Amino acid sequence: MPKLILNYFDFDGSRGEVARLAMHVAGVAFEDRRIPRKEWPTLRDTAPFQSLPTLEVDGQVIAQSNTINRYVGKLAGLYPKDDWQAALVDEVMDAVEDITTRIGTTFTLEGDAKKKAREALAEGSLLRFLQQLEARLKRGGGEWFVENRLTVADLKCYIWIRSLKSPKAEYFPADLVDKNAPLLARHLERVDGQPKIAAYYAARRK
Ligand SMILES: N[C@@H](CCC(=O)N[C@@H](CS)C(=O)NCC(=O)O)C(=O)O
C-alpha cells in the first residue's frame, strides 16, 4: 500500500470527507491532514488547482475530489471492477459534484439574495438532481447505487444529502429531501448505520 496523506479542511463534510470515510471503512492507513482555514491563504498556491482536497501518494500529489475518490475507492474495494458499474458510480459522483458547485455559488450571498437564490435552486436544479439521483438509487435496487453494496457513490451522495438536511442549510425547505427523494433519505440512514461509519463519527464526537 502506498503512503497516503489526505489534505482537506478541518470539518466532517463536503469534498474531502468521501475519501476519508472510504479509507476508514476499509481500514486503509492514511494521514488525515486537516488544514486550518486560517492557514489556507498561504497554502492555496501550493495546491495544483488552488483547492482541496489533494492526496499525496508516495510523495506525488493528485487533486480533484472525484479523481481521489476513484483512486481511494479502488484501494478500499469500494469501486466496481466492472466498467459499466464503474460508469454508474462516476455518474452519481459527478452529478453530486455539479450540484455542489451550483450550491457553492450561494455561499457568499447574504440575506434576501441568498434566500432567493436558494429557493430558486430548491425549485429548479436541486429538485431535478434529487429526483434523478433517487431514480438511480431505485434502479440499483433502492438500497445502494450499484452492486447491492456500499461504494464511493453511496459515500458521495450520503455526504451531500447530510449537508442538505442539516439545520445549517439555510433557506432550503427542511422537508426537501424527505418529500422529493424518500429513498435518498433512507439511504442516508442506511449509510449512517454502517458499523464502521457509526463508530468513526462516534469517535469524532468524543
Ligand atoms: N473540482 C474541485 C473543487 C475543489 C473545491 O472547490 N474545493 C473547495 C473546498 S470543498 C476549496 O478548496 N475551497 C477553497 C478555495 O477555493 O480557496 C474538486 O472536486 O476537488
Side-chain angles (χ1 to χ4, degrees), residues 128-186:
R128 172 89 187 184
F129 275 61
L130 281 173
Q131 291 165 340
Q132 290 294 319
L133 288 167
E134 174 91 349
R136 278 150 183 74
L137 186 58
K138 194 170 180 190
R139 181 183 58 194
E143 295 203 343
W144 308 105
F145 282 102
V146 303
E147 295 186 338
N148 293 312
R149 69 184 182 105
L150 181 84
T151 66
V152 281
D154 297 287
L155 296 177
K156 181 99 183 180
C157 188
Y158 159 73
I159 299 293
W160 176 56
I161 295 291
R162 194 177 67 183
S163 70
L164 211 51
K165 283 173 70 76
S166 152
K168 289 186 201 152
E170 288 178 299
Y171 306 125
F172 291 132
D175 63 351
L176 184 67
V177 178
D178 293 7
K179 196 167 138 198
N180 298 292
L183 289 179
L184 292 181
R186 288 209 290 282

Coordinates of all heavy atoms in Angstrom, one line a residue, residues 128-186:
R128 N -34.4 18.7 -9.4 CA -34.1 17.8 -10.5 C -33.0 16.8 -10.2 O -33.1 15.6 -10.4 CB -33.6 18.7 -11.7 CG -33.1 18.0 -12.9 CD -34.2 17.6 -13.8 NE -33.8 16.8 -14.9 CZ -34.6 16.4 -15.9 NH1 -35.8 16.8 -15.9 NH2 -34.2 15.6 -16.9
F129 N -31.9 17.3 -9.6 CA -30.8 16.4 -9.2 C -31.3 15.4 -8.2 O -30.9 14.2 -8.2 CB -29.6 17.2 -8.7 CG -28.7 17.7 -9.8 CD1 -29.1 18.6 -10.7 CD2 -27.4 17.3 -9.8 CE1 -28.3 19.0 -11.7 CE2 -26.5 17.7 -10.8 CZ -27.0 18.6 -11.8
L130 N -32.1 15.8 -7.2 CA -32.6 14.9 -6.2 C -33.4 13.8 -6.9 O -33.3 12.6 -6.6 CB -33.5 15.6 -5.2 CG -32.8 16.4 -4.1 CD1 -33.8 17.2 -3.3 CD2 -32.0 15.5 -3.2
Q131 N -34.3 14.2 -7.8 CA -35.2 13.2 -8.5 C -34.3 12.2 -9.3 O -34.6 11.0 -9.3 CB -36.2 13.9 -9.4 CG -37.2 14.7 -8.6 CD -38.0 15.7 -9.4 OE1 -37.6 16.1 -10.5 NE2 -39.2 16.1 -8.9
Q132 N -33.3 12.8 -10.0 CA -32.5 11.9 -10.9 C -31.6 10.9 -10.0 O -31.5 9.8 -10.4 CB -31.6 12.8 -11.8 CG -32.4 13.5 -12.8 CD -33.0 12.6 -13.9 OE1 -32.4 11.6 -14.3 NE2 -34.3 12.8 -14.2
L133 N -31.1 11.4 -8.9 CA -30.3 10.5 -8.0 C -31.2 9.5 -7.4 O -30.9 8.3 -7.3 CB -29.6 11.3 -7.0 CG -28.4 12.1 -7.6 CD1 -27.9 13.2 -6.6 CD2 -27.3 11.2 -8.0
E134 N -32.4 9.9 -7.0 CA -33.4 9.0 -6.5 C -33.7 7.9 -7.5 O -33.7 6.7 -7.1 CB -34.7 9.8 -6.2 CG -35.9 8.9 -5.7 CD -36.0 8.7 -4.2 OE1 -35.0 9.1 -3.5 OE2 -37.0 8.2 -3.7
A135 N -33.9 8.2 -8.7 CA -34.2 7.2 -9.8 C -33.0 6.3 -10.0 O -33.2 5.1 -10.2 CB -34.5 8.0 -11.1
R136 N -31.8 6.8 -9.8 CA -30.6 5.9 -10.0 C -30.5 5.0 -8.8 O -30.1 3.8 -8.9 CB -29.3 6.8 -10.1 CG -29.2 7.2 -11.6 CD -28.5 8.5 -11.8 NE -28.5 8.8 -13.3 CZ -29.6 9.2 -13.9 NH1 -30.8 9.4 -13.3 NH2 -29.6 9.4 -15.2
L137 N -30.8 5.4 -7.6 CA -30.8 4.6 -6.4 C -31.9 3.5 -6.6 O -31.6 2.3 -6.3 CB -31.1 5.4 -5.2 CG -30.9 4.6 -3.8 CD1 -29.6 4.0 -3.7 CD2 -31.2 5.6 -2.7
K138 N -33.0 3.9 -7.1 CA -34.1 2.9 -7.3 C -33.7 1.8 -8.3 O -33.9 0.6 -8.1 CB -35.4 3.7 -7.8 CG -36.6 2.9 -7.8 CD -37.8 3.7 -8.0 CE -39.1 2.9 -8.0 NZ -40.2 3.6 -8.4
R139 N -33.0 2.3 -9.4 CA -32.6 1.4 -10.5 C -31.6 0.4 -9.9 O -31.5 -0.8 -10.3 CB -31.9 2.2 -11.6 CG -31.3 1.4 -12.7 CD -30.6 2.3 -13.7 NE -29.5 3.0 -13.1 CZ -28.8 4.0 -13.6 NH1 -29.2 4.5 -14.8 NH2 -27.8 4.6 -13.0
G140 N -30.8 0.8 -8.9 CA -29.8 -0.1 -8.2 C -30.5 -1.1 -7.2 O -29.7 -1.9 -6.6
G141 N -31.8 -0.9 -7.0 CA -32.5 -1.8 -6.1 C -33.0 -1.1 -4.9 O -33.7 -1.7 -4.1
G142 N -32.7 0.2 -4.8 CA -33.3 1.0 -3.7 C -32.4 1.2 -2.5 O -32.7 2.1 -1.7
E143 N -31.4 0.3 -2.3 CA -30.6 0.4 -1.1 C -29.2 1.0 -1.4 O -28.7 1.8 -0.6 CB -30.5 -1.0 -0.5 CG -31.8 -1.5 0.0 CD -31.7 -2.5 1.1 OE1 -30.6 -3.1 1.3 OE2 -32.7 -2.7 1.8
W144 N -28.6 0.6 -2.5 CA -27.3 1.0 -2.9 C -27.3 1.4 -4.3 O -28.1 0.8 -5.1 CB -26.2 -0.1 -2.6 CG -26.3 -0.6 -1.2 CD1 -26.8 -1.8 -0.8 CD2 -25.8 0.1 0.0 NE1 -26.7 -2.0 0.5 CE2 -26.1 -0.8 1.1 CE3 -25.3 1.3 0.3 CZ2 -25.8 -0.5 2.4 CZ3 -25.0 1.6 1.6 CH2 -25.2 0.7 2.6
F145 N -26.4 2.3 -4.8 CA -26.5 2.7 -6.2 C -26.1 1.5 -7.1 O -26.7 1.4 -8.2 CB -25.6 3.9 -6.4 CG -26.2 5.2 -5.9 CD1 -25.8 5.8 -4.7 CD2 -27.2 5.8 -6.7 CE1 -26.5 6.9 -4.3 CE2 -27.9 6.9 -6.3 CZ -27.5 7.5 -5.0
V146 N -25.1 0.8 -6.8 CA -24.7 -0.3 -7.7 C -24.2 -1.5 -6.9 O -23.9 -1.4 -5.7 CB -23.5 0.0 -8.6 CG1 -23.8 1.3 -9.5 CG2 -22.2 0.3 -7.8
E147 N -24.3 -2.7 -7.5 CA -23.7 -3.9 -7.0 C -24.3 -4.3 -5.6 O -23.6 -5.1 -4.9 CB -22.2 -3.9 -7.0 CG -21.6 -3.8 -8.4 CD -20.1 -3.9 -8.4 OE1 -19.4 -3.6 -7.4 OE2 -19.6 -4.2 -9.5
N148 N -25.4 -3.8 -5.2 CA -26.0 -4.1 -3.9 C -25.0 -4.0 -2.7 O -25.1 -4.8 -1.8 CB -26.6 -5.5 -4.0 CG -27.8 -5.6 -4.9 OD1 -28.7 -4.7 -4.8 ND2 -27.8 -6.5 -5.8
R149 N -24.2 -3.0 -2.8 CA -23.2 -2.8 -1.7 C -22.7 -1.4 -1.7 O -23.0 -0.6 -2.6 CB -22.0 -3.8 -2.0 CG -21.1 -3.3 -3.2 CD -20.0 -4.3 -3.4 NE -19.2 -3.8 -4.6 CZ -18.0 -3.3 -4.4 NH1 -17.4 -3.1 -3.2 NH2 -17.3 -2.9 -5.5
L150 N -22.1 -1.0 -0.6 CA -21.6 0.3 -0.4 C -20.4 0.6 -1.4 O -19.5 -0.3 -1.5 CB -21.0 0.5 1.0 CG -20.5 1.8 1.4 CD1 -21.6 2.8 1.8 CD2 -19.5 1.7 2.5
T151 N -20.5 1.7 -2.1 CA -19.3 2.1 -3.0 C -19.1 3.6 -2.7 O -19.9 4.2 -1.9 CB -19.6 1.9 -4.5 OG1 -20.7 2.8 -4.8 CG2 -20.0 0.5 -4.8
V152 N -18.1 4.2 -3.3 CA -17.8 5.6 -3.1 C -19.0 6.5 -3.6 O -19.2 7.6 -3.2 CB -16.5 6.0 -3.8 CG1 -15.3 5.7 -2.9 CG2 -16.3 5.5 -5.2
A153 N -19.8 5.9 -4.6 CA -21.0 6.7 -5.0 C -22.0 6.9 -3.8 O -22.5 8.0 -3.6 CB -21.8 6.0 -6.1
D154 N -22.1 5.9 -3.0 CA -23.0 6.0 -1.8 C -22.4 7.0 -0.8 O -23.2 7.8 -0.2 CB -23.2 4.6 -1.1 CG -23.8 3.6 -2.0 OD1 -25.0 3.7 -2.2 OD2 -23.1 2.7 -2.6
L155 N -21.1 7.0 -0.7 CA -20.5 7.9 0.3 C -20.6 9.3 -0.2 O -21.0 10.2 0.6 CB -19.0 7.5 0.5 CG -18.8 6.2 1.2 CD1 -17.3 5.9 1.3 CD2 -19.4 6.1 2.6
K156 N -20.4 9.6 -1.5 CA -20.5 10.9 -2.1 C -21.9 11.5 -1.9 O -22.1 12.6 -1.5 CB -20.1 10.9 -3.5 CG -20.1 12.3 -4.2 CD -18.7 12.9 -4.3 CE -18.8 14.3 -4.9 NZ -17.5 14.9 -5.0
C157 N -22.9 10.6 -2.2 CA -24.3 11.1 -2.1 C -24.7 11.3 -0.6 O -25.3 12.3 -0.3 CB -25.2 10.0 -2.8 SG -26.9 10.6 -2.9
Y158 N -24.3 10.4 0.2 CA -24.5 10.5 1.7 C -24.1 11.8 2.2 O -24.8 12.5 3.0 CB -23.9 9.3 2.3 CG -23.6 9.4 3.8 CD1 -24.7 9.3 4.7 CD2 -22.3 9.6 4.3 CE1 -24.4 9.4 6.1 CE2 -22.1 9.6 5.7 CZ -23.1 9.6 6.6 OH -22.8 9.6 7.9
I159 N -22.8 12.2 1.9 CA -22.2 13.4 2.5 C -23.1 14.6 2.0 O -23.3 15.6 2.8 CB -20.8 13.6 2.0 CG1 -19.9 12.4 2.6 CG2 -20.2 14.9 2.5 CD1 -19.7 12.3 4.0
W160 N -23.5 14.6 0.7 CA -24.2 15.7 0.2 C -25.6 15.8 0.8 O -26.1 16.9 1.3 CB -24.3 15.6 -1.3 CG -25.2 16.7 -1.9 CD1 -25.0 18.1 -1.7 CD2 -26.4 16.6 -2.7 NE1 -26.0 18.8 -2.3 CE2 -26.8 17.9 -2.9 CE3 -27.1 15.5 -3.2 CZ2 -28.0 18.1 -3.7 CZ3 -28.2 15.7 -3.9 CH2 -28.7 17.0 -4.2
I161 N -26.3 14.7 0.9 CA -27.7 14.7 1.4 C -27.6 15.1 2.9 O -28.5 15.8 3.4 CB -28.4 13.3 1.3 CG1 -28.6 13.0 -0.2 CG2 -29.7 13.2 2.0 CD1 -29.6 13.8 -0.9
R162 N -26.6 14.6 3.6 CA -26.5 15.0 5.0 C -26.3 16.5 5.2 O -26.9 17.1 6.0 CB -25.2 14.3 5.6 CG -25.2 14.4 7.1 CD -24.0 13.6 7.6 NE -22.7 14.2 7.3 CZ -21.5 13.7 7.6 NH1 -21.5 12.5 8.2 NH2 -20.4 14.3 7.2
S163 N -25.6 17.1 4.3 CA -25.4 18.6 4.4 C -26.7 19.3 4.0 O -27.1 20.3 4.6 CB -24.3 19.1 3.4 OG -24.7 19.0 2.1
L164 N -27.5 18.7 3.1 CA -28.8 19.3 2.7 C -29.8 19.3 3.8 O -30.6 20.2 4.0 CB -29.3 18.6 1.5 CG -30.1 19.3 0.4 CD1 -29.4 20.5 -0.1 CD2 -30.3 18.3 -0.8
K165 N -29.7 18.2 4.6 CA -30.7 18.0 5.7 C -30.2 18.6 7.0 O -31.0 18.6 8.0 CB -31.0 16.5 5.9 CG -31.9 15.9 4.8 CD -32.0 14.4 4.9 CE -32.8 13.9 6.1 NZ -34.2 14.0 6.1
S166 N -29.0 19.2 6.9 CA -28.5 19.8 8.2 C -29.3 21.1 8.5 O -29.7 21.8 7.6 CB -27.0 20.1 8.0 OG -26.6 21.2 8.8
P167 N -29.5 21.4 9.8 CA -30.1 22.6 10.2 C -29.3 23.9 9.7 O -29.9 25.0 9.6 CB -30.1 22.6 11.7 CG -29.8 21.2 12.1 CD -29.1 20.5 10.9
K168 N -28.0 23.6 9.4 CA -27.2 24.8 8.9 C -27.5 25.1 7.4 O -27.1 26.1 6.9 CB -25.7 24.4 9.0 CG -25.2 24.4 10.5 CD -23.7 24.2 10.5 CE -23.3 23.6 11.8 NZ -22.1 22.8 11.7
A169 N -28.3 24.3 6.7 CA -28.6 24.5 5.3 C -29.7 25.5 5.2 O -30.8 25.2 5.0 CB -29.0 23.2 4.6
E170 N -29.3 26.8 5.3 CA -30.3 27.9 5.3 C -31.1 28.0 4.0 O -30.5 27.8 2.9 CB -29.5 29.2 5.4 CG -28.9 29.5 6.7 CD -28.2 30.9 6.6 OE1 -27.3 31.0 5.8 OE2 -28.6 31.8 7.3
Y171 N -32.3 28.3 4.2 CA -33.3 28.6 3.1 C -33.7 27.4 2.2 O -34.4 27.6 1.2 CB -32.8 29.8 2.3 CG -32.5 31.0 3.1 CD1 -31.2 31.6 3.0 CD2 -33.4 31.5 4.0 CE1 -30.9 32.7 3.7 CE2 -33.1 32.6 4.7 CZ -31.8 33.2 4.6 OH -31.5 34.3 5.3
F172 N -33.2 26.2 2.5 CA -33.7 25.1 1.7 C -34.8 24.5 2.6 O -34.6 24.3 3.8 CB -32.6 24.0 1.5 CG -31.5 24.4 0.6 CD1 -30.2 24.2 0.9 CD2 -31.9 24.9 -0.7 CE1 -29.2 24.6 0.0 CE2 -30.9 25.3 -1.6 CZ -29.5 25.2 -1.2
P173 N -36.0 24.2 2.0 CA -37.1 23.6 2.8 C -36.6 22.4 3.6 O -35.9 21.5 3.1 CB -38.1 23.2 1.8 CG -37.8 24.0 0.6 CD -36.3 24.2 0.6
A174 N -37.0 22.3 4.9 CA -36.5 21.2 5.8 C -36.9 19.9 5.3 O -36.2 18.9 5.5 CB -37.0 21.5 7.2
D175 N -38.1 19.8 4.5 CA -38.6 18.5 4.1 C -38.2 18.3 2.6 O -38.8 17.4 2.0 CB -40.1 18.4 4.3 CG -40.8 19.5 3.4 OD1 -40.2 20.4 2.9 OD2 -42.1 19.4 3.4
L176 N -37.3 19.1 2.0 CA -37.0 18.9 0.6 C -36.6 17.5 0.2 O -37.1 17.0 -0.8 CB -35.8 19.9 0.3 CG -35.4 20.0 -1.2 CD1 -36.4 20.6 -2.0 CD2 -34.1 20.8 -1.3
V177 N -35.7 16.9 1.0 CA -35.2 15.5 0.6 C -36.3 14.5 0.9 O -36.7 13.7 0.1 CB -33.9 15.2 1.4 CG1 -33.5 13.7 1.1 CG2 -32.8 16.1 1.1
D178 N -36.9 14.6 2.2 CA -37.9 13.6 2.6 C -39.1 13.6 1.6 O -39.6 12.5 1.2 CB -38.4 13.9 4.0 CG -37.3 13.7 5.0 OD1 -36.2 13.4 4.6 OD2 -37.7 13.7 6.2
K179 N -39.5 14.8 1.1 CA -40.7 14.9 0.3 C -40.4 14.4 -1.1 O -41.2 13.8 -1.8 CB -41.1 16.4 0.3 CG -42.5 16.6 -0.2 CD -42.9 18.0 0.1 CE -43.6 18.6 -1.0 NZ -43.7 20.1 -1.0
N180 N -39.2 14.8 -1.6 CA -38.9 14.6 -3.1 C -38.0 13.4 -3.4 O -38.0 12.9 -4.5 CB -38.3 15.8 -3.7 CG -39.2 17.0 -3.6 OD1 -40.3 17.0 -4.2 ND2 -38.9 17.9 -2.7
A181 N -37.3 12.9 -2.4 CA -36.4 11.8 -2.6 C -36.4 10.9 -1.3 O -35.3 10.8 -0.7 CB -35.0 12.3 -2.9
P182 N -37.5 10.2 -1.0 CA -37.6 9.4 0.2 C -36.5 8.3 0.2 O -36.1 7.9 1.3 CB -39.0 8.9 0.2 CG -39.5 9.1 -1.2 CD -38.8 10.2 -1.8
L183 N -36.2 7.7 -0.9 CA -35.2 6.6 -0.9 C -33.8 7.2 -0.5 O -33.0 6.5 0.2 CB -35.1 6.0 -2.3 CG -36.2 5.1 -2.8 CD1 -35.9 4.6 -4.2 CD2 -36.5 4.0 -1.8
L184 N -33.5 8.4 -1.0 CA -32.3 9.1 -0.6 C -32.2 9.4 0.9 O -31.2 9.3 1.6 CB -32.0 10.3 -1.4 CG -31.7 10.2 -2.9 CD1 -31.5 11.6 -3.5 CD2 -30.6 9.3 -3.1
A185 N -33.4 9.7 1.5 CA -33.5 10.0 2.9 C -33.2 8.7 3.7 O -32.5 8.7 4.7 CB -34.9 10.5 3.3
R186 N -33.7 7.6 3.2 CA -33.5 6.3 3.9 C -32.0 5.8 3.7 O -31.4 5.2 4.5 CB -34.5 5.2 3.4 CG -35.9 5.5 4.0 CD -36.7 4.2 4.2 NE -37.1 3.6 2.9 CZ -38.1 4.1 2.1 NH1 -38.8 5.1 2.5 NH2 -38.4 3.5 1.0

